[in-house]
Amino acid sequence: MPNPNSTTDDQFLQAAIEQARLGVEEGGIPIGSVLVHRGQIIGRGHNRRVQSASAILHGEMDALENAGRQSAAVYRESTLYTTLSPCPMCSGAILLYGIRRVVVGENQTFMGEEALLRSRGVEVEVVDDPQCQHLMKTFIEQHPALWNEDIGR
């Protein structure tokens, strides 16, 4: 049975991919994210650890920051789209704010805390998008030290 959200999900995942590409253009890590509430993007972000010399500006964290202060109801009604499986920090923020649905572009290059999210009632859908996989594989091949720094290895 086809997913009734697939066309909309594709549109918002593409917006997250655009954010990931922007990150690469800025000299950073190609991970992008958007926070969507009632069919509207309310926050866009990309990994800006390199650009901002930040320890915490992963794509998901940047999208949440750029969404600004929201009510708990808005977070509960929102979907977070991210090009890569969320790390422990970003998964913690998803749980903290009660985001109930996460669409992941890919988890082949990095498996985040999807099991934790699911165990806490978050709907996690992994798309296995070839664009997301290509962005990450290329980046990791070209910048292994930076990638390892970002994921704490």
Side-chain angles (χ1 to χ4, degrees):
M1 172 183 266
N3 180 348
N5 295 321
S6 66
T7 301
T8 303
D9 285 346
D10 289 346
Q11 169 192 352
F12 293 128
L13 184 59
Q14 285 303 312
I17 292 169
E18 289 171 18
Q19 287 294 307
R21 288 190 173 122
L22 182 58
V24 170
E25 290 171 14
E26 294 174 355
I29 299 166
I31 303 169
S33 185
V34 296
L35 184 65
V36 176
H37 180 253
R38 295 185 179 177
Q40 299 293 319
I41 295 174
I42 61 172
R44 297 173 191 267
H46 53 277
N47 187 302
R48 293 190 305 121
R49 288 186 68 251
V50 174
Q51 302 91 310
S52 299
S54 170
I56 62 169
L57 280 181
H58 284 191
E60 299 91 338
M61 302 298 279
D62 195 38
L64 288 167
E65 178 71 14
N66 291 328
R69 187 174 167 198
Q70 301 293 329
S71 71
V74 168
Y75 292 117
R76 282 193 306 270
E77 296 171 355
S78 293
T79 298
L80 184 73
Y81 294 81
T82 182
T83 58
L84 188 64
S85 186
C87 75
M89 175 180 65
C90 295
S91 294
I94 291 164
L95 294 173
L96 177 67
Y97 290 106
I99 297 169
R100 294 182 177 164
R101 182 167 184 257
V102 177
V103 176
V104 176
E106 70 103 350
N107 64 4
Q108 299 302 305
T109 56
F110 177 77
M111 172 61 77
E113 297 298 324
E114 294 171 23
L116 171 65
L117 292 170
R118 287 184 179 109
S119 77
R120 299 281 297 274
V122 177
E123 177 188 345
V124 179
E125 180 182 343
V126 179
V127 177
D128 285 327
D129 182 87
Q131 296 172 90
C132 296
Q133 291 172 355
H134 177 74
L135 279 167
M136 287 309 303
K137 286 179 183 176
T138 301
F139 179 81
I140 291 168
E141 287 171 7
Q142 294 175 352
H143 307 282
L146 184 54
W147 170 243
N148 288 331
E149 172 192 319
D150 191 57
I151 63 168
R153 291 192 177 154

